[in-house]
Structure formats: C-alpha cells, structure tokens
Amino acid sequence: MSPPAATNEGSEAMRLPQQIAARLRADIHDGTLLPGQLLPSEFQLVERYGVCRHTARCAVALLREEGAVYTVRAEGSYVGPRSAPRRRPPLKCEEVAGDLRERIRDGRLRAGERLPNEVVLAARYGVARDTVRAAINLLRDSRLVHTLPRKGTFVAD
C-alpha cells in the first residue's frame, strides 16, 4: 500500500494516525485481518506507510480504544474480540522444539540419547542460546526430555 496522503485541508483532512487506523479497520471489516490475527507490527506499519513509530502507535491505540483490537505485552496487537483464538506465527523456540519433537518421534533421536549442547543447537537453528533453552523447556514440560545437571539433556525413556 502507498503511504496515506498528507493534506492541509483543515478540519476535513484526517490526521495520519486516523488514516492508518481507517485502513486497518477496512482490512478487519473485509476479512483481510481476521479475529485473533496479529496486526502488522509497529515496524511493519512504519515501513508500509512511511510514518514514524509514534504515528503507527497512535493508529493502533485508536483501534484499541474503539475495541477493534487488543494488545498483549511482548506479543503485539490482535484483532478483537479477546475471546477469539489467537492466530500468530510460531515463536522461534516453538519451531525449534517442534523440530526436535519430530526427531524424537520419528526415531532420529532415541530414548536415552543426549541432545546436542546449546551452542550446537543454536548454530544449527540460527537462533540465540536463550531460544534453545526455551525450546528445551517446552520439551521438558512435555516430558520428552530430562536434564541432568552438568551432564546434559537426554531424550526421555
């Protein structure tokens, strides 16, 4: 989409945040953005409309004030209502955990086998070590792996 046109026509001219909010509102009403779906991030709105971050933030705030969207800290803003299941792309740690889970289930990683260390996994998946730790925690929560201090993380029996 092209940036909203800036005008100086007085009271009839919509300010940029209202113009962006109107375009997002139209995307919600025509089904381009579905309930539970993430709105484009502030950065994406800045890039798409050629505006500053404050303008993008104000546009989202307008939609939030009217109840069209709600915001979850550290995730983003979702199309309302809150009761709609969230549709978001998986987090990197969920992608890593999913791949490791698949390797365990199809036998490429066997019961009792030690997982590669965090440094190796981080390099393999192109992510930070904290992301690998979060992925391993997801696997641990699912009881697919267990960790022995100073020995490593192993596929559960």
Side-chain angles (χ1 to χ4, degrees):
M1 271 187 202
S2 60
T7 63
N8 291 322
E9 298 174 11
S11 62
E12 290 185 28
M14 280 202 284
R15 292 181 27 233
L16 287 175
Q18 285 89 354
Q19 290 177 15
I20 294 168
R23 288 188 179 178
L24 291 170
R25 196 177 302 106
D27 287 345
I28 292 168
H29 290 290
D30 72 15
T32 302
L33 291 170
L34 300 169
Q37 187 174 353
L38 270 172
L39 281 183
S41 68
E42 286 178 4
F43 177 77
Q44 290 169 322
L45 294 173
V46 165
E47 291 290 308
R48 182 180 297 170
Y49 296 110
V51 296
C52 68
R53 186 171 174 207
H54 177 75
T55 301
R57 184 175 288 168
C58 288
V60 173
L62 289 169
L63 294 172
R64 190 173 38 250
E65 287 170 12
E66 64 190 48
V69 303
Y70 64 94
T71 301
V72 176
R73 185 180 174 140
E75 286 188 34
S77 295
Y78 292 87
V79 176
R82 278 190 185 271
S83 60
R86 290 191 196 143
R87 304 167 192 238
R88 64 164 174 78
L91 301 173
K92 280 290 188 187
C93 65
E94 293 168 336
E95 290 177 5
V96 171
D99 185 65
L100 291 170
R101 183 178 295 112
E102 183 179 318
R103 290 171 176 272
I104 291 168
R105 291 203 172 126
D106 70 13
R108 287 181 280 166
L109 289 171
R110 294 184 212 66
E113 186 176 343
R114 183 178 178 207
L115 292 182
N117 68 37
E118 290 177 1
V119 173
V120 170
L121 289 172
R124 178 181 297 165
Y125 292 104
V127 298
R129 287 176 63 187
D130 284 344
T131 303
V132 170
R133 283 186 202 117
I136 290 171
N137 283 334
L138 291 171
L139 295 173
R140 195 178 297 118
D141 291 346
S142 300
R143 297 185 180 359
L144 291 173
V145 300
H146 63 277
T147 301
L148 299 174
R150 293 185 288 277
K151 294 196 181 198
T153 299
F154 299 83
V155 177
D157 295 325

